PDB file of all heavy atoms in Angstrom:
ATOM      1  N   LEU A 143     111.623 107.741  99.472  1.00  0.00           N
ATOM      2  CA  LEU A 143     110.515 107.026  98.811  1.00  0.00           C
ATOM      3  C   LEU A 143     110.699 105.514  98.936  1.00  0.00           C
ATOM      4  O   LEU A 143     109.726 104.776  99.100  1.00  0.00           O
ATOM      5  CB  LEU A 143     110.451 107.413  97.326  1.00  0.00           C
ATOM      6  CG  LEU A 143     109.916 108.800  96.987  1.00  0.00           C
ATOM      7  CD1 LEU A 143     110.061 109.081  95.495  1.00  0.00           C
ATOM      8  CD2 LEU A 143     108.445 108.934  97.402  1.00  0.00           C
ATOM      9  N   LEU A 144     111.950 105.071  98.866  1.00  0.00           N
ATOM     10  CA  LEU A 144     112.225 103.632  99.003  1.00  0.00           C
ATOM     11  C   LEU A 144     111.907 103.142 100.411  1.00  0.00           C
ATOM     12  O   LEU A 144     111.413 102.025 100.594  1.00  0.00           O
ATOM     13  CB  LEU A 144     113.691 103.354  98.667  1.00  0.00           C
ATOM     14  CG  LEU A 144     114.051 103.467  97.181  1.00  0.00           C
ATOM     15  CD1 LEU A 144     115.540 103.639  96.986  1.00  0.00           C
ATOM     16  CD2 LEU A 144     113.560 102.240  96.425  1.00  0.00           C
ATOM     17  N   LEU A 145     112.179 103.971 101.413  1.00  0.00           N
ATOM     18  CA  LEU A 145     111.847 103.607 102.794  1.00  0.00           C
ATOM     19  C   LEU A 145     110.349 103.454 102.988  1.00  0.00           C
ATOM     20  O   LEU A 145     109.880 102.670 103.814  1.00  0.00           O
ATOM     21  CB  LEU A 145     112.381 104.671 103.759  1.00  0.00           C
ATOM     22  CG  LEU A 145     113.893 104.643 104.055  1.00  0.00           C
ATOM     23  CD1 LEU A 145     114.294 105.861 104.864  1.00  0.00           C
ATOM     24  CD2 LEU A 145     114.283 103.366 104.794  1.00  0.00           C
ATOM     25  N   ASP A 146     109.603 104.211 102.195  1.00  0.00           N
ATOM     26  CA  ASP A 146     108.140 104.227 102.334  1.00  0.00           C
ATOM     27  C   ASP A 146     107.468 103.062 101.608  1.00  0.00           C
ATOM     28  O   ASP A 146     106.285 102.816 101.796  1.00  0.00           O
ATOM     29  CB  ASP A 146     107.605 105.564 101.797  1.00  0.00           C
ATOM     30  CG  ASP A 146     106.171 105.814 102.222  1.00  0.00           C
ATOM     31  OD1 ASP A 146     105.866 105.613 103.409  1.00  0.00           O
ATOM     32  OD2 ASP A 146     105.355 106.202 101.364  1.00  0.00           O
ATOM     33  N   GLN A 147     108.233 102.356 100.761  1.00  0.00           N
ATOM     34  CA  GLN A 147     107.632 101.265  99.981  1.00  0.00           C
ATOM     35  C   GLN A 147     107.457 100.006 100.826  1.00  0.00           C
ATOM     36  O   GLN A 147     108.262  99.717 101.705  1.00  0.00           O
ATOM     37  CB  GLN A 147     108.503 100.949  98.758  1.00  0.00           C
ATOM     38  CG  GLN A 147     108.258 101.886  97.584  1.00  0.00           C
ATOM     39  CD  GLN A 147     108.779 101.304  96.287  1.00  0.00           C
ATOM     40  OE1 GLN A 147     109.732 100.552  96.268  1.00  0.00           O
ATOM     41  NE2 GLN A 147     108.148 101.661  95.183  1.00  0.00           N
ATOM     42  N   ASP A 148     106.411  99.271 100.515  1.00  0.00           N
ATOM     43  CA  ASP A 148     106.147  97.993 101.191  1.00  0.00           C
ATOM     44  C   ASP A 148     106.925  96.899 100.468  1.00  0.00           C
ATOM     45  O   ASP A 148     106.642  96.563  99.322  1.00  0.00           O
ATOM     46  CB  ASP A 148     104.645  97.694 101.153  1.00  0.00           C
ATOM     47  CG  ASP A 148     104.307  96.376 101.841  1.00  0.00           C
ATOM     48  OD1 ASP A 148     105.186  95.854 102.565  1.00  0.00           O
ATOM     49  OD2 ASP A 148     103.176  95.882 101.674  1.00  0.00           O
ATOM     50  N   ALA A 149     107.936  96.353 101.139  1.00  0.00           N
ATOM     51  CA  ALA A 149     108.805  95.353 100.505  1.00  0.00           C
ATOM     52  C   ALA A 149     108.484  93.929 100.947  1.00  0.00           C
ATOM     53  O   ALA A 149     109.251  93.006 100.693  1.00  0.00           O
ATOM     54  CB  ALA A 149     110.268  95.683 100.819  1.00  0.00           C
ATOM     55  N   ARG A 150     107.341  93.743 101.623  1.00  0.00           N
ATOM     56  CA  ARG A 150     107.028  92.396 102.126  1.00  0.00           C
ATOM     57  C   ARG A 150     106.703  91.427 101.007  1.00  0.00           C
ATOM     58  O   ARG A 150     106.972  90.234 101.100  1.00  0.00           O
ATOM     59  CB  ARG A 150     105.860  92.477 103.115  1.00  0.00           C
ATOM     60  CG  ARG A 150     106.259  93.051 104.480  1.00  0.00           C
ATOM     61  CD  ARG A 150     105.069  93.289 105.367  1.00  0.00           C
ATOM     62  NE  ARG A 150     104.191  94.325 104.828  1.00  0.00           N
ATOM     63  CZ  ARG A 150     103.102  94.779 105.444  1.00  0.00           C
ATOM     64  NH1 ARG A 150     102.741  94.264 106.615  1.00  0.00           N
ATOM     65  NH2 ARG A 150     102.370  95.728 104.906  1.00  0.00           N
ATOM     66  N   THR A 151     106.113  91.935  99.922  1.00  0.00           N
ATOM     67  CA  THR A 151     105.823  91.083  98.758  1.00  0.00           C
ATOM     68  C   THR A 151     106.390  91.738  97.508  1.00  0.00           C
ATOM     69  O   THR A 151     106.490  92.969  97.426  1.00  0.00           O
ATOM     70  CB  THR A 151     104.299  90.902  98.578  1.00  0.00           C
ATOM     71  OG1 THR A 151     103.683  92.196  98.475  1.00  0.00           O
ATOM     72  CG2 THR A 151     103.704  90.150  99.754  1.00  0.00           C
ATOM     73  N   ALA A 152     106.750  90.933  96.537  1.00  0.00           N
ATOM     74  CA  ALA A 152     107.294  91.458  95.278  1.00  0.00           C
ATOM     75  C   ALA A 152     106.182  92.123  94.477  1.00  0.00           C
ATOM     76  O   ALA A 152     105.095  91.560  94.322  1.00  0.00           O
ATOM     77  CB  ALA A 152     107.931  90.333  94.482  1.00  0.00           C
ATOM     78  N   GLN A 153     106.436  93.337  93.993  1.00  0.00           N
ATOM     79  CA  GLN A 153     105.461  94.062  93.170  1.00  0.00           C
ATOM     80  C   GLN A 153     106.054  94.255  91.779  1.00  0.00           C
ATOM     81  O   GLN A 153     107.183  94.723  91.648  1.00  0.00           O
ATOM     82  CB  GLN A 153     105.161  95.428  93.794  1.00  0.00           C
ATOM     83  CG  GLN A 153     104.596  95.345  95.207  1.00  0.00           C
ATOM     84  CD  GLN A 153     104.445  96.720  95.819  1.00  0.00           C
ATOM     85  OE1 GLN A 153     103.668  97.547  95.326  1.00  0.00           O
ATOM     86  NE2 GLN A 153     105.193  96.991  96.882  1.00  0.00           N
ATOM     87  N   PHE A 154     105.267  93.912  90.758  1.00  0.00           N
ATOM     88  CA  PHE A 154     105.772  93.973  89.388  1.00  0.00           C
ATOM     89  C   PHE A 154     105.164  95.157  88.642  1.00  0.00           C
ATOM     90  O   PHE A 154     104.067  95.606  88.954  1.00  0.00           O
ATOM     91  CB  PHE A 154     105.454  92.677  88.641  1.00  0.00           C
ATOM     92  CG  PHE A 154     106.228  91.493  89.149  1.00  0.00           C
ATOM     93  CD1 PHE A 154     105.750  90.736  90.221  1.00  0.00           C
ATOM     94  CD2 PHE A 154     107.442  91.154  88.583  1.00  0.00           C
ATOM     95  CE1 PHE A 154     106.471  89.647  90.699  1.00  0.00           C
ATOM     96  CE2 PHE A 154     108.169  90.061  89.050  1.00  0.00           C
ATOM     97  CZ  PHE A 154     107.686  89.316  90.114  1.00  0.00           C
ATOM     98  N   ALA A 155     105.911  95.640  87.650  1.00  0.00           N
ATOM     99  CA  ALA A 155     105.429  96.724  86.786  1.00  0.00           C
ATOM    100  C   ALA A 155     105.985  96.508  85.386  1.00  0.00           C
ATOM    101  O   ALA A 155     106.881  95.679  85.181  1.00  0.00           O
ATOM    102  CB  ALA A 155     105.871  98.076  87.341  1.00  0.00           C
ATOM    103  N   PHE A 156     105.430  97.267  84.427  1.00  0.00           N
ATOM    104  CA  PHE A 156     105.895  97.218  83.034  1.00  0.00           C
ATOM    105  C   PHE A 156     105.880  95.789  82.478  1.00  0.00           C
ATOM    106  O   PHE A 156     106.895  95.265  82.010  1.00  0.00           O
ATOM    107  CB  PHE A 156     107.304  97.828  82.905  1.00  0.00           C
ATOM    108  CG  PHE A 156     107.420  99.207  83.482  1.00  0.00           C
ATOM    109  CD1 PHE A 156     108.187  99.446  84.611  1.00  0.00           C
ATOM    110  CD2 PHE A 156     106.730 100.277  82.921  1.00  0.00           C
ATOM    111  CE1 PHE A 156     108.285 100.704  85.169  1.00  0.00           C
ATOM    112  CE2 PHE A 156     106.823 101.547  83.472  1.00  0.00           C
ATOM    113  CZ  PHE A 156     107.596 101.757  84.602  1.00  0.00           C
ATOM    114  N   ASN A 157     104.703  95.164  82.573  1.00  0.00           N
ATOM    115  CA  ASN A 157     104.496  93.815  82.034  1.00  0.00           C
ATOM    116  C   ASN A 157     105.479  92.792  82.598  1.00  0.00           C
ATOM    117  O   ASN A 157     105.968  91.909  81.887  1.00  0.00           O
ATOM    118  CB  ASN A 157     104.597  93.826  80.502  1.00  0.00           C
ATOM    119  CG  ASN A 157     103.452  94.573  79.861  1.00  0.00           C
ATOM    120  OD1 ASN A 157     102.317  94.495  80.333  1.00  0.00           O
ATOM    121  ND2 ASN A 157     103.751  95.326  78.811  1.00  0.00           N
ATOM    122  N   GLY A 158     105.766  92.918  83.879  1.00  0.00           N
ATOM    123  CA  GLY A 158     106.635  91.955  84.553  1.00  0.00           C
ATOM    124  C   GLY A 158     108.112  92.148  84.302  1.00  0.00           C
ATOM    125  O   GLY A 158     108.927  91.320  84.718  1.00  0.00           O
ATOM    126  N   MET A 159     108.504  93.255  83.644  1.00  0.00           N
ATOM    127  CA  MET A 159     109.919  93.498  83.367  1.00  0.00           C
ATOM    128  C   MET A 159     110.624  94.156  84.549  1.00  0.00           C
ATOM    129  O   MET A 159     111.859  94.211  84.592  1.00  0.00           O
ATOM    130  CB  MET A 159     110.089  94.375  82.120  1.00  0.00           C
ATOM    131  CG  MET A 159     109.619  93.716  80.839  1.00  0.00           C
ATOM    132  SD  MET A 159     109.784  94.776  79.398  1.00  0.00           S
ATOM    133  CE  MET A 159     111.553  94.784  79.151  1.00  0.00           C
ATOM    134  N   TYR A 160     109.856  94.642  85.499  1.00  0.00           N
ATOM    135  CA  TYR A 160     110.403  95.374  86.648  1.00  0.00           C
ATOM    136  C   TYR A 160     109.813  94.772  87.922  1.00  0.00           C
ATOM    137  O   TYR A 160     108.623  94.475  87.982  1.00  0.00           O
ATOM    138  CB  TYR A 160     110.016  96.854  86.521  1.00  0.00           C
ATOM    139  CG  TYR A 160     110.350  97.703  87.732  1.00  0.00           C
ATOM    140  CD1 TYR A 160     111.500  98.474  87.762  1.00  0.00           C
ATOM    141  CD2 TYR A 160     109.515  97.732  88.849  1.00  0.00           C
ATOM    142  CE1 TYR A 160     111.804  99.248  88.868  1.00  0.00           C
ATOM    143  CE2 TYR A 160     109.813  98.496  89.954  1.00  0.00           C
ATOM    144  CZ  TYR A 160     110.968  99.253  89.963  1.00  0.00           C
ATOM    145  OH  TYR A 160     111.263 100.010  91.057  1.00  0.00           O
ATOM    146  N   VAL A 161     110.651  94.592  88.938  1.00  0.00           N
ATOM    147  CA  VAL A 161     110.165  94.068  90.208  1.00  0.00           C
ATOM    148  C   VAL A 161     110.709  94.909  91.358  1.00  0.00           C
ATOM    149  O   VAL A 161     111.878  95.290  91.362  1.00  0.00           O
ATOM    150  CB  VAL A 161     110.550  92.576  90.399  1.00  0.00           C
ATOM    151  CG1 VAL A 161     112.076  92.396  90.401  1.00  0.00           C
ATOM    152  CG2 VAL A 161     109.960  92.011  91.681  1.00  0.00           C
ATOM    153  N   ALA A 162     109.832  95.232  92.307  1.00  0.00           N
ATOM    154  CA  ALA A 162     110.244  95.890  93.549  1.00  0.00           C
ATOM    155  C   ALA A 162     110.059  94.879  94.668  1.00  0.00           C
ATOM    156  O   ALA A 162     108.927  94.527  95.014  1.00  0.00           O
ATOM    157  CB  ALA A 162     109.407  97.146  93.791  1.00  0.00           C
ATOM    158  N   ASP A 163     111.159  94.359  95.186  1.00  0.00           N
ATOM    159  CA  ASP A 163     111.093  93.392  96.275  1.00  0.00           C
ATOM    160  C   ASP A 163     112.073  93.805  97.373  1.00  0.00           C
ATOM    161  O   ASP A 163     112.678  94.885  97.312  1.00  0.00           O
ATOM    162  CB  ASP A 163     111.386  91.976  95.763  1.00  0.00           C
ATOM    163  CG  ASP A 163     112.723  91.866  95.030  1.00  0.00           C
ATOM    164  OD1 ASP A 163     113.515  92.826  95.090  1.00  0.00           O
ATOM    165  OD2 ASP A 163     112.975  90.821  94.397  1.00  0.00           O
ATOM    166  N   GLY A 164     112.228  92.941  98.371  1.00  0.00           N
ATOM    167  CA  GLY A 164     113.086  93.286  99.498  1.00  0.00           C
ATOM    168  C   GLY A 164     114.517  93.565  99.087  1.00  0.00           C
ATOM    169  O   GLY A 164     115.123  94.551  99.510  1.00  0.00           O
ATOM    170  N   MET A 165     115.087  92.714  98.238  1.00  0.00           N
ATOM    171  CA  MET A 165     116.479  92.888  97.828  1.00  0.00           C
ATOM    172  C   MET A 165     116.675  94.191  97.054  1.00  0.00           C
ATOM    173  O   MET A 165     117.604  94.967  97.329  1.00  0.00           O
ATOM    174  CB  MET A 165     116.940  91.707  96.972  1.00  0.00           C
ATOM    175  CG  MET A 165     118.410  91.798  96.577  1.00  0.00           C
ATOM    176  SD  MET A 165     118.986  90.397  95.574  1.00  0.00           S
ATOM    177  CE  MET A 165     118.297  90.816  93.982  1.00  0.00           C
ATOM    178  N   SER A 166     115.792  94.451  96.096  1.00  0.00           N
ATOM    179  CA  SER A 166     115.950  95.661  95.291  1.00  0.00           C
ATOM    180  C   SER A 166     115.781  96.919  96.141  1.00  0.00           C
ATOM    181  O   SER A 166     116.538  97.881  95.989  1.00  0.00           O
ATOM    182  CB  SER A 166     114.946  95.662  94.128  1.00  0.00           C
ATOM    183  OG  SER A 166     113.624  95.786  94.597  1.00  0.00           O
ATOM    184  N   ASN A 167     114.821  96.916  97.051  1.00  0.00           N
ATOM    185  CA  ASN A 167     114.590  98.113  97.873  1.00  0.00           C
ATOM    186  C   ASN A 167     115.789  98.441  98.751  1.00  0.00           C
ATOM    187  O   ASN A 167     116.204  99.599  98.846  1.00  0.00           O
ATOM    188  CB  ASN A 167     113.338  97.926  98.749  1.00  0.00           C
ATOM    189  CG  ASN A 167     112.062  98.186  97.977  1.00  0.00           C
ATOM    190  OD1 ASN A 167     112.089  98.310  96.753  1.00  0.00           O
ATOM    191  ND2 ASN A 167     110.946  98.267  98.665  1.00  0.00           N
ATOM    192  N   VAL A 168     116.348  97.416  99.403  1.00  0.00           N
ATOM    193  CA  VAL A 168     117.506  97.658 100.289  1.00  0.00           C
ATOM    194  C   VAL A 168     118.708  98.120  99.476  1.00  0.00           C
ATOM    195  O   VAL A 168     119.385  99.097  99.842  1.00  0.00           O
ATOM    196  CB  VAL A 168     117.837  96.385 101.097  1.00  0.00           C
ATOM    197  CG1 VAL A 168     119.142  96.570 101.871  1.00  0.00           C
ATOM    198  CG2 VAL A 168     116.701  96.046 102.052  1.00  0.00           C
ATOM    199  N   LEU A 169     118.985  97.444  98.364  1.00  0.00           N
ATOM    200  CA  LEU A 169     120.139  97.818  97.546  1.00  0.00           C
ATOM    201  C   LEU A 169     119.968  99.211  96.957  1.00  0.00           C
ATOM    202  O   LEU A 169     120.929 100.004  96.929  1.00  0.00           O
ATOM    203  CB  LEU A 169     120.350  96.795  96.428  1.00  0.00           C
ATOM    204  CG  LEU A 169     120.914  95.438  96.856  1.00  0.00           C
ATOM    205  CD1 LEU A 169     120.916  94.461  95.695  1.00  0.00           C
ATOM    206  CD2 LEU A 169     122.327  95.579  97.419  1.00  0.00           C
ATOM    207  N   LYS A 170     118.764  99.548  96.494  1.00  0.00           N
ATOM    208  CA  LYS A 170     118.543 100.874  95.911  1.00  0.00           C
ATOM    209  C   LYS A 170     118.672 101.971  96.962  1.00  0.00           C
ATOM    210  O   LYS A 170     119.158 103.069  96.669  1.00  0.00           O
ATOM    211  CB  LYS A 170     117.170 100.930  95.233  1.00  0.00           C
ATOM    212  CG  LYS A 170     117.120 100.129  93.938  1.00  0.00           C
ATOM    213  CD  LYS A 170     115.855 100.360  93.136  1.00  0.00           C
ATOM    214  CE  LYS A 170     114.646  99.754  93.774  1.00  0.00           C
ATOM    215  NZ  LYS A 170     113.453  99.818  92.910  1.00  0.00           N
ATOM    216  N   LEU A 171     118.255 101.665  98.173  1.00  0.00           N
ATOM    217  CA  LEU A 171     118.412 102.628  99.275  1.00  0.00           C
ATOM    218  C   LEU A 171     119.898 102.937  99.488  1.00  0.00           C
ATOM    219  O   LEU A 171     120.306 104.103  99.574  1.00  0.00           O
ATOM    220  CB  LEU A 171     117.792 102.048 100.548  1.00  0.00           C
ATOM    221  CG  LEU A 171     117.931 102.877 101.826  1.00  0.00           C
ATOM    222  CD1 LEU A 171     117.180 104.187 101.702  1.00  0.00           C
ATOM    223  CD2 LEU A 171     117.432 102.098 103.032  1.00  0.00           C
ATOM    224  N   PHE A 172     120.714 101.891  99.561  1.00  0.00           N
ATOM    225  CA  PHE A 172     122.159 102.094  99.755  1.00  0.00           C
ATOM    226  C   PHE A 172     122.792 102.768  98.538  1.00  0.00           C
ATOM    227  O   PHE A 172     123.735 103.556  98.681  1.00  0.00           O
ATOM    228  CB  PHE A 172     122.847 100.763 100.056  1.00  0.00           C
ATOM    229  CG  PHE A 172     122.618 100.253 101.451  1.00  0.00           C
ATOM    230  CD1 PHE A 172     122.015  99.025 101.676  1.00  0.00           C
ATOM    231  CD2 PHE A 172     122.997 101.015 102.549  1.00  0.00           C
ATOM    232  CE1 PHE A 172     121.798  98.565 102.969  1.00  0.00           C
ATOM    233  CE2 PHE A 172     122.777 100.554 103.847  1.00  0.00           C
ATOM    234  CZ  PHE A 172     122.176  99.322 104.059  1.00  0.00           C
ATOM    235  N   ILE A 173     122.297 102.459  97.331  1.00  0.00           N
ATOM    236  CA  ILE A 173     122.826 103.089  96.117  1.00  0.00           C
ATOM    237  C   ILE A 173     122.614 104.597  96.158  1.00  0.00           C
ATOM    238  O   ILE A 173     123.536 105.382  95.896  1.00  0.00           O
ATOM    239  CB  ILE A 173     122.172 102.475  94.859  1.00  0.00           C
ATOM    240  CG1 ILE A 173     122.745 101.079  94.578  1.00  0.00           C
ATOM    241  CG2 ILE A 173     122.363 103.374  93.633  1.00  0.00           C
ATOM    242  CD1 ILE A 173     121.941 100.260  93.585  1.00  0.00           C
ATOM    243  N   CYS A 174     121.399 105.023  96.498  1.00  0.00           N
ATOM    244  CA  CYS A 174     121.090 106.467  96.550  1.00  0.00           C
ATOM    245  C   CYS A 174     121.955 107.177  97.589  1.00  0.00           C
ATOM    246  O   CYS A 174     122.499 108.256  97.326  1.00  0.00           O
ATOM    247  CB  CYS A 174     119.613 106.682  96.859  1.00  0.00           C
ATOM    248  SG  CYS A 174     118.510 106.214  95.511  1.00  0.00           S
ATOM    249  N   VAL A 175     122.085 106.576  98.756  1.00  0.00           N
ATOM    250  CA  VAL A 175     122.906 107.184  99.819  1.00  0.00           C
ATOM    251  C   VAL A 175     124.373 107.231  99.390  1.00  0.00           C
ATOM    252  O   VAL A 175     125.058 108.244  99.602  1.00  0.00           O
ATOM    253  CB  VAL A 175     122.744 106.400 101.140  1.00  0.00           C
ATOM    254  CG1 VAL A 175     123.725 106.896 102.198  1.00  0.00           C
ATOM    255  CG2 VAL A 175     121.312 106.520 101.652  1.00  0.00           C
ATOM    256  N   ALA A 176     124.866 106.149  98.774  1.00  0.00           N
ATOM    257  CA  ALA A 176     126.273 106.099  98.348  1.00  0.00           C
ATOM    258  C   ALA A 176     126.577 107.157  97.295  1.00  0.00           C
ATOM    259  O   ALA A 176     127.612 107.832  97.365  1.00  0.00           O
ATOM    260  CB  ALA A 176     126.612 104.699  97.818  1.00  0.00           C
ATOM    261  N   VAL A 177     125.699 107.334  96.308  1.00  0.00           N
ATOM    262  CA  VAL A 177     125.945 108.331  95.257  1.00  0.00           C
ATOM    263  C   VAL A 177     125.867 109.745  95.839  1.00  0.00           C
ATOM    264  O   VAL A 177     126.654 110.628  95.452  1.00  0.00           O
ATOM    265  CB  VAL A 177     124.961 108.145  94.078  1.00  0.00           C
ATOM    266  CG1 VAL A 177     125.146 109.243  93.041  1.00  0.00           C
ATOM    267  CG2 VAL A 177     125.164 106.778  93.424  1.00  0.00           C
ATOM    268  N   ALA A 178     124.950 109.976  96.776  1.00  0.00           N
ATOM    269  CA  ALA A 178     124.891 111.274  97.459  1.00  0.00           C
ATOM    270  C   ALA A 178     126.204 111.540  98.207  1.00  0.00           C
ATOM    271  O   ALA A 178     126.731 112.666  98.184  1.00  0.00           O
ATOM    272  CB  ALA A 178     123.705 111.321  98.421  1.00  0.00           C
ATOM    273  N   MET A 179     126.754 110.508  98.857  1.00  0.00           N
ATOM    274  CA  MET A 179     128.039 110.654  99.556  1.00  0.00           C
ATOM    275  C   MET A 179     129.165 110.954  98.575  1.00  0.00           C
ATOM    276  O   MET A 179     130.058 111.771  98.866  1.00  0.00           O
ATOM    277  CB  MET A 179     128.350 109.375 100.345  1.00  0.00           C
ATOM    278  CG  MET A 179     127.478 109.187 101.573  1.00  0.00           C
ATOM    279  SD  MET A 179     127.738 107.573 102.375  1.00  0.00           S
ATOM    280  CE  MET A 179     129.382 107.795 103.075  1.00  0.00           C
ATOM    281  N   VAL A 180     129.142 110.327  97.401  1.00  0.00           N
ATOM    282  CA  VAL A 180     130.152 110.603  96.373  1.00  0.00           C
ATOM    283  C   VAL A 180     130.130 112.083  95.997  1.00  0.00           C
ATOM    284  O   VAL A 180     131.186 112.729  95.892  1.00  0.00           O
ATOM    285  CB  VAL A 180     129.912 109.727  95.119  1.00  0.00           C
ATOM    286  CG1 VAL A 180     130.757 110.208  93.942  1.00  0.00           C
ATOM    287  CG2 VAL A 180     130.220 108.263  95.417  1.00  0.00           C
ATOM    288  N   LEU A 181     128.938 112.642  95.811  1.00  0.00           N
ATOM    289  CA  LEU A 181     128.823 114.052  95.421  1.00  0.00           C
ATOM    290  C   LEU A 181     129.324 114.982  96.523  1.00  0.00           C
ATOM    291  O   LEU A 181     129.970 115.996  96.248  1.00  0.00           O
ATOM    292  CB  LEU A 181     127.368 114.379  95.068  1.00  0.00           C
ATOM    293  CG  LEU A 181     126.821 113.705  93.800  1.00  0.00           C
ATOM    294  CD1 LEU A 181     125.358 114.055  93.590  1.00  0.00           C
ATOM    295  CD2 LEU A 181     127.638 114.111  92.578  1.00  0.00           C
ATOM    296  N   ILE A 182     129.037 114.645  97.779  1.00  0.00           N
ATOM    297  CA  ILE A 182     129.504 115.486  98.894  1.00  0.00           C
ATOM    298  C   ILE A 182     131.024 115.411  99.018  1.00  0.00           C
ATOM    299  O   ILE A 182     131.696 116.438  99.156  1.00  0.00           O
ATOM    300  CB  ILE A 182     128.820 115.062 100.212  1.00  0.00           C
ATOM    301  CG1 ILE A 182     127.304 115.318 100.134  1.00  0.00           C
ATOM    302  CG2 ILE A 182     129.418 115.821 101.396  1.00  0.00           C
ATOM    303  CD1 ILE A 182     126.504 114.689 101.260  1.00  0.00           C
ATOM    304  N   TYR A 183     131.578 114.197  98.973  1.00  0.00           N
ATOM    305  CA  TYR A 183     133.029 114.041  99.039  1.00  0.00           C
ATOM    306  C   TYR A 183     133.730 114.788  97.901  1.00  0.00           C
ATOM    307  O   TYR A 183     134.830 115.322  98.079  1.00  0.00           O
ATOM    308  CB  TYR A 183     133.406 112.560  98.958  1.00  0.00           C
ATOM    309  CG  TYR A 183     133.377 111.804 100.258  1.00  0.00           C
ATOM    310  CD1 TYR A 183     132.804 110.528 100.327  1.00  0.00           C
ATOM    311  CD2 TYR A 183     133.932 112.329 101.419  1.00  0.00           C
ATOM    312  CE1 TYR A 183     132.785 109.811 101.523  1.00  0.00           C
ATOM    313  CE2 TYR A 183     133.914 111.622 102.615  1.00  0.00           C
ATOM    314  CZ  TYR A 183     133.339 110.369 102.661  1.00  0.00           C
ATOM    315  OH  TYR A 183     133.327 109.665 103.844  1.00  0.00           O
TER     316      TYR A 183
END
């Protein structure tokens, strides 16, 4: 789902308390993959 998101511009939600931008998308992608690797290991 993170790969499918458009990260070219920052998108806000929850009255500006949440932002989806380039940095968050890339880091969250690596976070999900890393935790999946932890479970497999």
Side-chain angles (χ1 to χ4, degrees):
L143 286 174
L144 288 161
L145 283 172
D146 195 46
Q147 278 198 330
D148 180 14
R150 285 172 295 183
T151 56
Q153 301 175 63
F154 291 87
F156 307 112
N157 292 322
M159 295 178 72
Y160 172 98
V161 61
D163 55 11
M165 183 179 77
S166 67
N167 279 11
V168 172
L169 287 173
K170 288 190 289 188
L171 177 65
F172 285 120
I173 285 166
C174 290
V175 172
V177 176
M179 288 173 71
V180 168
L181 292 177
I182 295 168
Y183 275 136

